[in-house]
Amino acid sequence: MTEGLPQVARVEPGEVTPALVTALYTGAVMSPVDVGVVALTGPGAVTSFQGLLTNDIELPGEGSFVYGALLTPKGMIVVDGWAARLGATVGYTVPADTGGRDRALAIFTRSVPPRLARVTDRTADVVVYRLAGPSALAVAVAAGLEVPPGAGRVLLRPDGVETARATEGAPFVVQVTGPAALELSRILAGWPRLGAEVDEKTIPQEVRLDEIGGVSYTKGCYTGQETVARLHFRGHVNRQVRGLLFDPEPPAAPAEGWSAVTHVDRDVGRVTSLAFVPETGVAGAGRWIGLALIRREVEPGSVVRASGRDARVVDLPFIFPIAAPA
């Protein structure tokens, strides 16, 4: 009987090349990591974190980067990860594929009073890379990163990039956490993403695959070709992904969890992606944009209600400058 037993972590033959093994022993390897990033921010963030983490986040002081776990009252591990102390914020980077983000959020929400610290889920706002191998530090420096002078330390650059050095014996040497600029780039380009614009009921033409070089109408047969070809040569889709330019005033963000798009009091689609684009050279200024799957009769230039805000429908990709009034 194996029911209820934990899964065995294993690396299968062919998943790692001999060249990668050589790099781990003699050079450097860099890879994005599937993690969640949860933060406590406020006057009691450090004290609250200190009361929950197995390791010490107070003694190393400002800029510390330590490994530790959150436990149950009976001393069992709930989630483990790396804590970075920067000012009034302690960020906690945890595994994402095992539900670590949700576990950490649950503990912080339950255990930390809002008057002491605010709990924030930064997972969707940042990307995390890790460098391993004896040349990892040299590679990071050559790439222009400001690396902390010692192990177990983290630095925050003015552009929001965090560079941390792991403690001795960790499976990586450097961790880089930065704003998710590629996600903004994807939205600006009007490029679809699985889980946002695309699901199992999405037709390629609905999300511009034919416009962005993802469909050939001259190649031979492939699975699903009949539907795609018929729409191209004889018909049209009933909905399409469009851009949304939200009114800059009021500056409130589009409502979270509210994806409906309405036009003339009629439901015409759903919001699939949102991003705030800051205005160049003006701190705090900018506007929200988004992608939405909208019925084709709602043409560019139409004003709709999306995620609780007024927005103008625009063609994709977005045209700069987009921070100016529509």
Side-chain angles (χ1 to χ4, degrees), residues 6 60 67 118 127 140 164 172 189-190 201 209 234 244 248 271 285-286 302 320:
Y67 174 74
R118 181 179 74 256
V127 291
F172 64 93
K201 297 181 180 179
L209 256 66
R234 300 182 182 178
L244 295 175
V271 178
S302 301
F320 288 96

Side-chain angles (χ1 to χ4, degrees), residues 34-59:
D34 185 16
V35 293
V37 182
V38 180
L40 288 181
T41 302
V46 174
T47 302
S48 298
F49 212 102
Q50 179 79 350
L52 294 170
L53 194 70
T54 56
N55 208 340
D56 196 335
I57 195 73
E58 285 187 345
L59 182 62

Side-chain angles (χ1 to χ4, degrees), residues 292-314:
L293 279 166
I294 304 176
R295 292 194 60 83
R296 64 186 301 271
E297 58 264 27
V298 182
E299 299 179 350
S302 301
V303 176
V304 298
R305 190 77 174 170
S307 292
R309 293 278 308 281
D310 288 337
R312 188 175 301 277
V313 178
V314 297

Side-chain angles (χ1 to χ4, degrees), residues 2-19:
T2 59
E3 294 183 4
L5 293 177
Q7 293 183 348
V8 176
R10 57 187 290 170
V11 179
E12 299 289 352
E15 292 183 357
V16 177
T17 65

